[in-house]
Amino acid sequence: METVEVIIIGSGPAGYAAALYAARAQLKPLVLAGEKGGGQLMLTTQVENYPGFKDGVMGPDLMAVMRQQAEKFGAVMKDQNVDKVDFSRQPLTVVSGEIEYQGEAVILTTGAESIPLGVPGESDYIGRGVSYCAVCDAPFFKDKRVVVVGGGDAAVEDTLALTKFTAKISLIHRRDQFRASKIMQARVLGQKDKVEVLWESQVVKVTGDEKHVTSVTVKNIKTGQVQEIPAQGLFVAIGHRPATEFLKGQVALDEKDYVKTSINYPEGQSWLKGYPTMTSVPGVFAGGDNVDFRYRQAVTAAGMGVMAALDAEKWLEGL
Ligand SMILES: Cc1cc2nc3c(=O)[nH]c(=O)nc-3n(C[C@H](O)[C@H](O)[C@H](O)COP(=O)(O)OP(=O)(O)OC[C@H]3O[C@@H](n4cnc5c(N)ncnc54)[C@H](O)[C@@H]3O)c2cc1C
């Protein structure tokens, strides 16, 4: 058993930023980085909206530097997954395989995963036409034709964001009406010159020329009719899954399994005031995409990681 002051679980922008701040505060944080360290940006190529890089930066390069920066100040990284936690008493217990760690504070930065379509070709072209983040990638598709998949607010918002850049958008939805709010629906349906909606349809294949996406094949669920849409981009907006399965029953989660803090649920939190990133358990903090269903950006995740580290530091001082 190893006992430390702060344990950080997860190693995306939120985890590394939390580690940097906790390390500079002399808390010698232990980062259980997961077997797939670096988080979602490891899946992408060019990141153009992380401040400080005027020519952009490759996602994996950014994550490697973030890790080195936190290590330089004393953060200890272990590339292990956390399987379970016991937050019922202090010190807080975190278990990875056979190894048990104890910490006075724990910071949860386990992120989220975009739900993929799971169709042939999709995973081959991530970052080369296939995107899960319109805010991040829309400017790469100037005057191009793209396909968007989904029917909720995210898909409709992504489509609207893309209309500013792209030549034409095919919005694919498997039902005959959207789940998105009426006002957003009206906005997207009003863009008739740019947006065509293919109802009751699903994407069945993504095709490319090895370098980029060249077409997206769509099937009508009712008629069975198949069409190949020439397109350079596929934006998948069918939802996110926060990596919080192992936290069930340990901290309060919302109905979609996001960790509740008073940042994402400012009303009605009865737990300790003055610690915006604290979860329902004293001493357990959270930040990044496992909390954030709204912004989902690397820089906002890093910012929340920093907030969680500062809150943990203040909380530890008060112990
Ligand atoms: C393809 C793609 C491109 C993107 N492009 C951009 C962009 O250009 N600009 C931008 O701002 N944002 C972009 N995003 C979004 C951005 O990557 C996320 O908002 C950001 O990474 C969230 O950071 P995070 O630290 O909260 O979580 P994540 O990056 O999801 O990292 C969480 C980490 O925790 C680990 N973990 C999970 N569970 C456990 C466990 N039980 N034990 C140990 N470790 C665990 C995971 O393996 C992962 O390494 C992109 C996302 C994707 C998928």
Side-chain angles (χ1 to χ4, degrees):
M1 168 123 46
E2 202 178 311
T3 304
V4 295
E5 273 187 291
V6 181
I7 300 174
I8 297 169
I9 309 177
S11 61
Y16 287 156
L20 172 65
Y21 271 65
R24 293 192 75 248
Q26 312 276 317
L27 295 172
K28 297 190 187 66
L30 168 66
V31 183
L32 297 173
E35 282 157 12
K36 288 188 261 165
Q40 295 169 60
L41 286 187
M42 299 301 280
L43 300 175
T44 195
T45 50
Q46 190 77 350
V47 177
E48 288 194 331
N49 57 4
Y50 199 87
F53 298 90
K54 81 177 169 47
D55 300 320
V57 56
M58 297 301 272
D61 294 347
L62 176 62
M63 298 319 298
V65 177
M66 276 195 202
R67 180 171 171 133
Q68 288 159 13
Q69 191 181 2
E71 281 175 327
K72 178 178 147 190
F73 291 101
V76 176
M77 306 280 170
K78 294 198 177 177
D79 295 322
Q80 296 171 351
N81 274 338
V82 171
D83 308 310
K84 54 182 183 189
V85 294
D86 180 359
F87 294 157
S88 61
R89 68 184 72 85
Q90 270 282 356
L92 305 154
T93 303
V94 170
V95 182
S96 172
E98 302 290 297
I99 313 169
E100 215 172 276
Y101 300 95
Q102 291 199 322
E104 288 176 51
V106 172
I107 301 177
L108 306 169
T109 54
T110 49
E113 276 179 1
S114 315
I115 300 174
L117 296 171
V119 299
E122 180 186 13
S123 59
D124 301 332
Y125 287 98
I126 293 175
R128 297 187 294 145
V130 174
S131 171
Y132 301 88
C133 178
V135 175
C136 313
D137 295 336
F140 294 124
F141 292 85
K142 192 151 176 23
D143 301 327
K144 303 260 179 0
R145 181 160 181 192
V146 301
V147 171
V148 178
V149 189
D153 279 324
V156 169
E157 274 172 32
D158 284 1
T159 304
L160 287 170
L162 283 158
T163 56
K164 292 186 201 139
F165 299 94
T166 53
K168 185 169 181 193
I169 302 165
S170 303
L171 175 54
I172 316 295
H173 186 38
R174 63 196 163 120
R175 299 187 202 285
D176 59 1
Q177 55 184 343
F178 291 126
R179 277 176 291 111
S181 62
K182 290 275 179 282
I183 182 156
M184 296 301 286
Q185 293 191 33
R187 277 189 204 156
V188 88
L189 294 171
Q191 298 261 356
K192 286 200 171 38
D193 50 334
K194 264 212 168 163
V195 181
E196 67 164 358
V197 182
L198 301 183
W199 302 105
E200 299 178 309
S201 299
Q202 60 189 29
V203 169
V204 289
K205 191 168 78 168
V206 180
T207 308
D209 60 3
E210 304 281 308
K211 286 190 184 149
H212 301 288
V213 169
T214 52
S215 70
V216 175
T217 307
V218 175
K219 183 178 178 184
N220 183 295
I221 302 163
K222 277 271 167 72
T223 63
Q225 194 194 346
V226 173
Q227 60 171 307
E228 189 173 346
I229 301 173
Q232 290 75 49
L234 169 67
F235 286 81
V236 181
I238 58 170
H240 286 79
R241 206 182 288 125
T244 55
E245 188 62 33
F246 70 107
L247 297 170
K248 286 189 176 164
Q250 295 288 333
V251 294
L253 305 178
D254 74 5
E255 69 285 355
K256 289 193 171 158
D257 293 339
Y258 286 91
V259 181
K260 288 176 103 178
T261 67
S262 48
I263 288 185
N264 52 355
Y265 289 93
E267 306 302 328
Q269 300 297 40
S270 57
W271 48 79
L272 291 177
K273 301 271 183 256
Y275 298 98
T277 63
M278 196 181 276
T279 68
S280 57
V281 180
V284 180
F285 303 83
D289 280 15
N290 59 4
V291 166
D292 175 18
F293 42 78
R294 191 179 302 269
Y295 302 106
R296 296 194 194 106
Q297 298 298 297
V299 67
T300 49
M304 285 186 203
V306 170
M307 290 160 77
L310 292 172
D311 283 351
E313 183 188 356
K314 183 173 151 205
W315 189 79
L316 286 166
E317 276 166 13
L319 275 188

